[in-house]
Amino acid sequence: MRIDVLTLFPAMFAGPLETSILKRAQQRGLLEIVLHAIRDYAMDRHQMTDDLPYGGGVGMVMKPEPVFNAVESLGLPDGRTPIILLSPQGRLLTHRVAKELAAHERLVLICGHYEGFDERIREHLATDELSIGDYVLTGGELAAMVVIDAVARWVPGVLGDAESAERDSFSEGLLEGPHYTRPADFRGWSVPSVLLSGNHAAIAAWRRREALRRTFRRRPALLRNLTLIEEEAAFVRELASAASEPRPDEEGISYEATSDER
Ligand code: ADE
């Protein structure tokens, strides 16, 4: 997979791209990240990439020419490569969106700064717009790095077997339950005995229940989209009715089992 990133600050990418799994993926040829300085595509003498907003107002707006020039210099072969703006106005990046994007051979990410992009970039150049959350960053670079990281994990071979993206939180629609490693007793806090039992079926059942419990407590709305077997649905109803359990913070969530058995 190749990802072209258009940015005013290529240097920001050095740390994340030259470390750990993203570094390994590039060395193995699974992932190619190409950084392009938008400023290099500004044609005027001062290499201006931003200008005052028409109609007045505070802040600066990213000029269209350098961004169009940079994208056009890529010579994208077809109209199928997503050209993605990073902005707080985009659709929200989720586990599913990351997986979807990873199915493309190429992506183009455009990092904005200042008050935002000239609207013609949005209307006539970009094919998609992504936000990494409902907060405003100082620029799109950190968001682009988040997108690259979340997408790269889905590229075949990028994660080792032990790191499988399929088993992560969200993959089964649930948050992951707790994990433990040695020592079995740390400062008097011991590991749940079932994990030391060697009984694989009991361990799998425990993990599933703990994932349900954690999801119920932290992200109850995720349970709404889930297919539960009767036993699991009963467990969730039990959590909901237990006085000691916090109640889900959203209304209208039903914990009925569906007819599909897992
Ligand atoms: N640029 C500024 N804030 C952003 C956000 N939340 N997501 C994506 N890009 C951004």
Side-chain angles (χ1 to χ4, degrees):
M1 172 172 220
R2 170 169 165 161
I3 305 179
D4 291 276
V5 184
L6 279 56
T7 169
L8 291 169
F9 303 106
M12 280 184 76
F13 290 80
L17 297 184
E18 290 167 16
T19 315
S20 187
I21 291 174
L22 294 182
K23 176 184 180 181
R24 189 180 71 190
Q26 292 173 90
Q27 286 171 337
R28 287 185 182 164
L30 300 168
L31 185 66
E32 187 184 4
I33 312 279
V34 186
L35 302 171
H36 306 269
I38 294 173
R39 196 169 300 284
D40 293 346
Y41 297 88
M43 294 306 173
D44 64 298
R45 208 154 47 89
H46 301 291
Q47 292 196 294
M48 270 176 62
T49 55
D50 60 318
D51 208 336
L52 297 164
Y54 273 120
V58 291
M60 300 294 272
V61 177
M62 297 250 319
K63 288 166 69 64
E65 302 97 315
V67 179
F68 272 77
N69 289 342
V71 171
E72 285 160 4
S73 78
L74 300 175
L76 296 174
D78 49 45
R80 284 183 307 171
T81 301
I83 301 172
I84 304 170
L85 292 186
L86 281 312
S87 107
Q89 301 177 19
R91 64 185 176 123
L92 205 57
L93 178 70
T94 61
H95 188 70
R96 183 174 306 171
V97 170
K99 189 174 182 181
E100 226 172 77
L101 293 175
H104 292 271
E105 273 169 30
R106 263 185 102 156
L107 298 177
V108 177
L109 303 180
I110 306 176
C111 307
H113 263 268
Y114 317 117
E115 282 308 295
F117 297 100
D118 182 288
E119 191 64 17
R120 290 162 290 189
I121 297 172
R122 201 170 256 127
E123 285 179 354
H124 304 295
L125 185 64
T127 62
D128 199 353
E129 188 162 344
L130 287 180
S131 164
I132 62 162
D134 288 343
Y135 41 81
V136 181
L137 301 166
T138 55
E141 283 74 13
L142 290 168
M145 287 182 244
V146 169
V147 171
I148 291 169
D149 194 280
V151 168
R153 302 178 79 256
W154 287 107
V155 173
V158 165
L159 295 186
D161 288 344
E163 302 155 333
S164 162
E166 296 291 347
R167 282 189 283 102
D168 282 337
S169 277
F170 300 113
S171 276
E172 293 178 16
L174 289 178
L175 302 184
E176 281 185 54
H179 299 289
Y180 295 90
T181 187
R182 280 178 285 196
D185 184 282
F186 173 68
R187 299 186 179 177
W189 300 307
S190 53
V191 172
S193 57
V194 60
L195 296 178
L196 312 177
S197 69
N199 181 339
H200 296 299
I203 291 169
W206 181 86
R207 285 191 170 141
R208 179 81 183 165
R209 282 164 73 93
E210 291 310 309
L212 284 166
R213 188 195 308 278
R214 181 154 288 184
T215 308
F216 173 81
R217 284 184 168 162
R218 298 186 180 190
R219 300 287 303 279
L222 291 177
L223 293 173
R224 189 187 292 153
N225 303 324
L226 218 64
T227 303
L228 299 180
I229 58 169
E230 177 49 38
E231 192 184 323
E232 294 170 340
F235 178 63
V236 175
R237 282 197 297 270
E238 205 180 288
L239 292 176
S241 62
S244 60
E245 300 286 351
R247 301 197 65 82
D249 54 16
E250 293 191 26
E251 300 288 326
I253 299 167
S254 144
Y255 304 110
E256 295 307 315
T258 60
S259 53
D260 289 352
E261 293 283 310
R262 298 178 53 89

